[in-house]
Amino acid sequence: MSMLARGVRGIALALLLATGTVGPAAAKKTPAIAEDVDEMKPGQFRWQPELAPEGPVEIVISLGAQRAYVYRSGTLIGVSTISSGRPGYETPVGRFGILQKKKMHRSNRYESAPMPYMQRLNWFGVALHGGHVPGHPASHGCIRLPPQFAQKLYGVTSLGSFVWVDDREVHSAGKALELARANASTPLGPGRE
């Protein structure tokens, strides 16, 4: 192996270790936040942004499991219970980018209902926001998050941040990230016009 190839290989390995995607440090960090995700009670979440202090944020929503997984630079930094759209008001699935952010928003459709830390996913009234999370789909199509988690998530996202909404039951942080990466080039969901 040439000296140049060894240098490139060393840089690549250092980057992987620094981002927490390989190596013993990552193995120790991920289980603490990802273990027993199925045992979380409605309204519970885990938040450890220090695991990846910088980089792009990706969010995976599992409607089937009523969970949100948040990654920064490919490292899991948050897991939360959610409440998505109830029957007749189903939350749309697909790839979205955050279109608008507002710390305190009121619904234009549903009697000015409060939507703290609103992050709009489409122009048809679907957003991530803080609210009551009863442990089952109960919203008018939005993705409700525990209020403290909604605030924390709001602080790390930016306009255009990637959100993948899937109707399958995803019970693994690794599987959620795999879905996000596999669908990163999927056309954007409805309501982007």
Side-chain angles (χ1 to χ4, degrees):
M1 181 183 296
S2 74
M3 186 178 292
L4 177 62
R6 270 187 245 137
V8 169
R9 184 173 169 223
I11 291 169
L13 183 57
L15 285 171
L16 287 172
L17 286 169
T19 60
T21 56
V22 72
K28 289 178 186 170
K29 291 177 185 174
T30 302
I33 193 169
E35 69 186 20
D36 301 327
V37 169
D38 289 335
E39 304 303 317
M40 294 172 71
K41 304 227 181 308
Q44 289 185 324
F45 65 90
R46 297 192 181 119
W47 186 251
Q48 293 181 271
E50 68 277 4
L51 295 177
E54 296 180 356
V57 172
E58 301 167 279
I59 303 164
V60 177
I61 305 295
S62 169
L63 301 178
Q66 293 289 283
R67 295 290 183 270
Y69 298 90
V70 182
Y71 304 85
R72 189 158 47 192
S73 296
T75 299
L76 183 69
I77 64 168
V79 180
S80 181
T81 56
I82 67 159
S83 184
S84 61
R86 66 182 184 241
Y89 296 94
E90 287 80 7
T91 301
V93 298
R95 181 172 75 96
F96 301 89
I98 295 172
L99 296 169
Q100 180 185 43
K101 294 176 60 158
K102 196 169 178 186
K103 283 187 179 177
M104 189 55 212
H105 179 73
R106 292 203 167 267
S107 174
N108 298 325
R109 293 182 174 198
Y110 301 106
E111 301 172 7
S112 293
M115 299 169 67
Y117 300 100
M118 184 276 297
Q119 300 186 75
R120 186 179 302 281
L121 299 183
N122 69 22
W123 296 112
F124 300 135
V126 176
L128 300 164
H129 66 81
H132 179 60
V133 179
H136 55 83
S139 79
H140 285 100
C142 284
I143 299 161
R144 291 188 202 157
L145 306 166
Q148 288 182 318
F149 184 82
Q151 180 182 11
K152 293 173 185 304
L153 182 62
Y154 187 94
V156 300
T157 60
S158 57
L159 294 180
S161 288
F162 176 92
V163 181
W164 176 255
V165 180
D166 203 293
D167 56 2
R168 291 173 275 190
E169 286 192 37
V170 180
H171 296 280
S172 152
K175 180 65 175 171
L177 183 59
E178 183 181 306
L179 281 170
R181 296 294 164 82
N183 292 288
S185 60
T186 299
L188 290 171
R192 296 293 301 190
E193 298 82 35

